[in-house]
Amino acid sequence: MDARTKPSGAVLSANAVVERPSKQEAEAAVRTLIAWAGDDPTREGLLETPSRVTRAFGEFFAGYAQDAGTVLSKTFKDVGGYDDIVLVRDIPFNSHCEHHMVPFVGKAHIAYLPHDGVVGLSKLARLVEVFARRLQTQENLTAQIVDAINEHLNPRGTAVMLEAEHMCMSMRGVRAHGASTITHRFTGVFAEDRVEQDRFLAMIARR
């Protein structure tokens, strides 16, 4: 089941239901963090920061209120018999590392082999947004995209690759600026047939 925000304000996850704090409580937490960082949350430049941060979090983590099944619910079967690879590459995304709550930014490449029809191309980009706008790891994000496509489109195969730079590596810790992390997952025909994997990789590389 997808994590999503219930009308009551509770957040539903795979493991537990967590009561969502009020906006006032969230803003108080931001003021606490500002003070912990060493600044004065009551000075002029920071007075409105808690409100801005909570609004920004509403955008950053909007995926909790969205459902992959809804995004992929409408398919088209009249495609003239087309049954080859459908690929959308270079889908930009940004997410937040669940370990440090700092961004990781990159692009996604998604391909599938149709079986029960195709989905609008923009829906694949929307699907990435659904899962990226949550606290994530890149590995989990990759798997969630693949699983959603398999569940709702029932393709003969799915291939997903993500490339991203993680600010938790470039801004802190080892400060490895420009390092890229690549994750991929193949299912169905893509997992069983190396030729199909190679076709996918070649199509991504082609410019």
Side-chain angles (χ1 to χ4, degrees):
M1 181 179 294
D2 291 326
R4 57 189 181 274
T5 303
K6 299 170 65 179
S8 65
V11 176
L12 180 65
S13 74
N15 300 317
V17 175
V18 179
E19 190 64 29
R20 187 174 189 175
S22 68
K23 186 174 186 293
Q24 292 73 24
E25 290 172 324
E27 291 179 1
V30 175
R31 283 190 285 272
T32 297
L33 287 173
I34 291 172
W36 183 86
D39 213 325
D40 178 7
T42 66
R43 70 176 176 84
E44 182 181 22
L46 291 173
L47 279 176
E48 300 300 320
T49 297
S51 177
R52 295 189 187 101
V53 169
T54 55
R55 288 199 302 272
F57 266 42
E59 295 181 34
F60 296 157
F61 305 116
Y64 287 114
Q66 298 171 351
D67 178 66
T70 301
V71 171
L72 300 177
S73 62
K74 184 175 182 179
T75 59
F76 303 93
K77 299 186 184 300
D78 185 9
V79 292
Y82 184 84
D83 61 358
D84 207 343
I85 293 176
V86 176
L87 167 68
V88 180
R89 68 183 186 190
D90 298 327
I91 301 171
F93 73 87
N94 58 80
S95 189
H96 281 74
C97 164
E98 66 181 32
H99 301 140
H100 302 96
M101 293 184 70
V102 294
F104 61 97
V105 180
K107 55 188 177 181
H109 314 290
I110 300 177
Y112 67 97
L113 287 161
H115 175 59
D116 290 335
V118 300
V119 70
L121 299 178
S122 67
K123 301 303 183 182
L124 296 179
R126 178 62 63 187
L127 177 66
V128 174
E129 286 283 289
V130 168
F131 293 117
R133 291 191 177 274
R134 302 178 184 185
L135 292 170
Q136 280 288 11
T137 65
Q138 186 173 328
E139 297 88 345
N140 192 50
L141 177 57
T142 305
Q144 287 177 336
I145 294 169
V146 171
D147 289 344
I149 292 172
N150 286 341
E151 178 181 355
H152 299 291
L153 298 186
N154 189 31
R156 289 178 291 122
T158 304
V160 171
M161 177 181 288
L162 303 187
E163 307 174 53
E165 180 176 0
H166 291 248
M167 299 302 107
C168 59
M169 284 183 60
S170 60
M171 293 175 60
R172 57 164 297 282
V174 295
R175 293 184 173 87
H177 299 283
S180 294
T181 298
I182 297 176
T183 53
H184 61 75
R185 186 177 176 191
F186 302 117
T187 64
V189 174
F190 287 107
E192 298 162 2
D193 190 339
R194 182 58 184 267
V195 171
E196 293 299 329
Q197 291 183 27
D198 290 344
R199 287 182 66 207
F200 169 72
L201 296 172
M203 290 170 76
I204 289 174
R206 189 179 305 150
R207 290 293 185 268

